[in-house]
Amino acid sequence: MARLATDEGTRRVLVVDDDADWREFLRLSLEDLGYETTEAADGQEALETLRRGDRYGVMLLDLNMPGMSGLEVVERLPRGPHPRIVFLTSAAAQDVGSALLSGPHYYLPKGASRDQLSLLLQSLGE
């Protein structure tokens, strides 16, 4: 299902979360690590960004948002190359099992440190 974005988007990250403070922390951390970021406050905004043809190597996607969940966003991704999906959630890993099984997705707990974010991105080859 998921295909990697082309090289033009590998250092670009789409941050999708309804928590503005967490989005800001992620954006600042990513920028410090040398990534270009775009923020979306909900699933609909994320899909609109992707439908414009913007390319991202990774999408940090809140699993539990009001309106459209992160899993629903993944199910509605536009055709074409997709970013790697990293689910963001405050739930324990065992509680996000079904989302992780829906495809080659990854998991980052909310409240993770900048170093944990960096290690995850390094493990993805970003």
Side-chain angles (χ1 to χ4, degrees), residues 19 79 93 105 124 126:
D19 181 337
R79 296 180 59 96
H105 308 305
L124 295 175
E126 293 296 320

Side-chain angles (χ1 to χ4, degrees), residues 1-122:
M1 174 187 173
R3 296 191 329 236
L4 297 180
T6 59
D7 286 344
E8 69 186 55
T10 56
R11 297 292 293 180
R12 298 181 70 206
V13 178
L14 177 58
V15 179
V16 186
D17 200 301
D18 60 311
D19 181 337
D21 292 335
W22 179 236
R23 265 194 337 265
E24 180 181 24
F25 168 78
L26 291 170
R27 179 182 54 79
L28 293 173
S29 296
L30 288 162
E31 289 173 355
D32 284 347
L33 294 167
Y35 292 88
E36 181 184 332
T37 62
T38 301
E39 295 181 46
D42 58 39
Q44 189 61 45
E45 187 178 348
L47 290 174
E48 289 168 7
T49 298
L50 293 169
R51 285 186 186 117
R52 283 195 304 262
D54 295 347
R55 301 260 187 249
Y56 298 91
V58 173
M59 178 166 48
L60 300 178
L61 178 61
D62 186 2
L63 189 57
N64 299 307
M65 293 181 287
M68 188 184 307
S69 73
L71 198 52
E72 289 173 303
V73 171
V74 170
E75 291 169 355
R76 297 177 186 188
L77 285 173
R79 296 180 59 96
H82 297 148
R84 294 179 203 189
I85 307 297
V86 177
F87 286 120
L88 304 169
T89 183
S90 54
Q94 62 267 22
D95 297 331
V96 297
S98 62
L100 295 174
L101 292 174
S102 68
H105 308 305
Y106 306 89
Y107 162 78
L108 185 71
K110 284 196 174 183
S113 70
R114 179 182 173 272
D115 290 341
Q116 289 169 312
L117 176 62
S118 177
L119 286 172
L120 174 67
L121 294 171
Q122 287 174 25

